Amino acid sequence: MGWLWREWRRRRIRGREFPAEWAHILARTFPRILRLSDADRAELESRIQVFFIEKRFEGAADFEITDEVRLSIAAQACLLLLHHDTGDYPDLLSIIVYPGEYLARQRVRDEIGLVRETDQVRLGETGARGAVVVSWDAARRGASDENDGHSVVLHEFAHLLDAEAGGFDGAPRLPRRSMYESWSRILKDEYATLQRRAASGEPVDLNPYGATSPAEFFAVATESFFQEPHALSQNHPALFEELAHFYRQDPRGFMPPSSSSAPPQYPPVS
Ligand SMILES: [Zn+2]
């Protein structure tokens, strides 16, 4: 009954007109929406409306949640769901937004086995208990065109998609059973290459944070796929193809080729 009711409500919400004021905010803060096809833009707008009804936004450290904040975050989160029948992040209840980087208390074990607590600087995290935490400063940069190849929102929501298939292991639910073999082979290969390069200090064109676990590899590859699709398809064509099948879209159609010749900077993520 709960599922049927939710589907009925989603259909009603999706039929609503997207407020013109929201469209203006998105055109400014998430300009790629203007380069989507009409059908894709309409789908994204209706997913955003469902997202607003089903998820709660909470400001942390006195941060005020405005329409711009909600729209920039929801647009990036819902972009991952385009062309998928299911989704809308069923396990997610709330998005907690800090104004910028924040400190998270972490328990670490030192070299002689003692556990102590330290503060770690973070831009975002996917918690248990149905919450995603992001820094607005990083979320805003990820939504804009002049980006550095990163999006904390895409990163954390990729973790959610991964977790929906059970566990954080870089193996989300793929649309077809026949896709698992090549997904597993190609992502394993690319992960091993990034680990080797990161360990030996060789230059890398994927965030070396992805070398810490298969789950982080999937999350940083998702960021590159959407934020720097031209570079990823050129330098990692097999990985690009797997992600294009999984996400059922090709971001090269709506992202400009990167104009930056500066070496990428990799911010802290979690
Ligand atoms: Zn992560």
Side-chain angles (χ1 to χ4, degrees):
M1 192 61 194
W3 179 81
L4 275 177
W5 182 77
R6 205 162 47 239
E7 276 310 302
W8 174 80
R9 189 177 64 172
R10 280 178 186 169
R11 265 204 299 277
R12 272 194 52 207
I13 296 163
R14 282 179 186 147
R16 286 183 195 164
E17 201 174 329
F18 197 70
E21 196 188 325
W22 290 2
H24 281 129
I25 294 174
L26 277 179
R28 183 167 48 79
T29 58
F30 187 65
R32 76 192 72 173
I33 197 166
L34 301 174
R35 296 186 293 265
L36 294 179
S37 69
D38 289 350
D40 284 356
R41 187 165 63 243
E43 183 186 339
L44 190 65
E45 288 174 350
S46 63
R47 284 192 182 274
I48 291 170
Q49 285 176 300
V50 171
F51 195 91
F52 282 171
I53 299 288
E54 297 187 350
K55 318 299 178 196
R56 194 172 58 238
F57 282 82
E58 296 170 39
D62 294 330
F63 184 67
E64 188 194 344
I65 303 291
T66 60
D67 279 350
E68 178 176 339
V69 171
R70 297 194 312 144
L71 283 160
S72 299
I73 293 172
Q76 293 177 81
C78 293
L79 184 65
L80 299 183
L81 303 177
L82 220 54
H83 309 152
H84 287 74
D85 307 332
T86 54
D88 297 304
Y89 305 109
D91 302 328
L92 176 69
L93 298 173
S94 52
I95 299 98
I96 298 163
V97 190
Y98 279 86
E101 292 179 343
Y102 59 95
L103 292 175
R105 186 128 291 197
Q106 203 191 21
R107 286 162 73 87
V108 292
R109 190 177 292 275
D110 69 14
E111 54 284 4
I112 59 165
L114 294 175
V115 174
R116 62 195 167 79
E117 293 202 325
T118 69
D119 285 332
Q120 189 194 35
V121 177
R122 289 189 184 164
L123 295 180
E125 63 195 285
T126 306
R129 299 189 297 276
V132 157
V133 187
V134 293
S135 133
W136 166 238
D137 191 40
R140 186 183 49 72
R141 273 185 282 118
S144 75
D145 266 0
E146 73 290 351
N147 72 71
D148 51 8
H150 300 291
S151 161
V152 69
V153 177
L154 298 178
H155 184 105
E156 301 306 337
F157 281 80
H159 279 323
L160 283 185
L161 294 177
D162 187 3
E164 278 173 23
F168 288 96
D169 55 6
R173 197 172 291 119
L174 301 178
R176 285 188 307 282
R177 189 179 283 243
S178 59
M179 285 176 58
Y180 283 90
E181 191 276 326
S182 66
W183 176 275
S184 148
R185 178 167 42 81
I186 288 162
L187 271 83
K188 240 186 226 164
D189 267 12
E190 292 271 1
Y191 173 55
T193 305
L194 183 62
Q195 277 193 311
R196 183 172 44 73
R197 289 181 158 227
S200 65
E202 283 175 66
V204 289
D205 57 2
L206 285 167
N207 187 342
Y209 186 66
T212 55
S213 72
E216 296 305 342
F217 182 78
F218 169 59
V220 306
T222 293
E223 289 181 78
S224 293
F225 177 71
F226 282 98
Q227 302 295 82
E228 294 185 311
H230 300 274
L232 188 73
S233 69
Q234 235 162 41
N235 302 332
H236 303 266
L239 177 61
F240 183 88
E241 200 176 324
E242 291 302 313
L243 291 166
H245 283 142
F246 172 65
Y247 285 115
R248 304 182 191 186
Q249 54 188 309
D250 184 345
R252 288 175 298 184
F254 55 79
M255 283 306 273
S258 173
S259 55
S260 164
S261 55
Q265 298 294 312
Y266 295 115
V269 278
S270 188

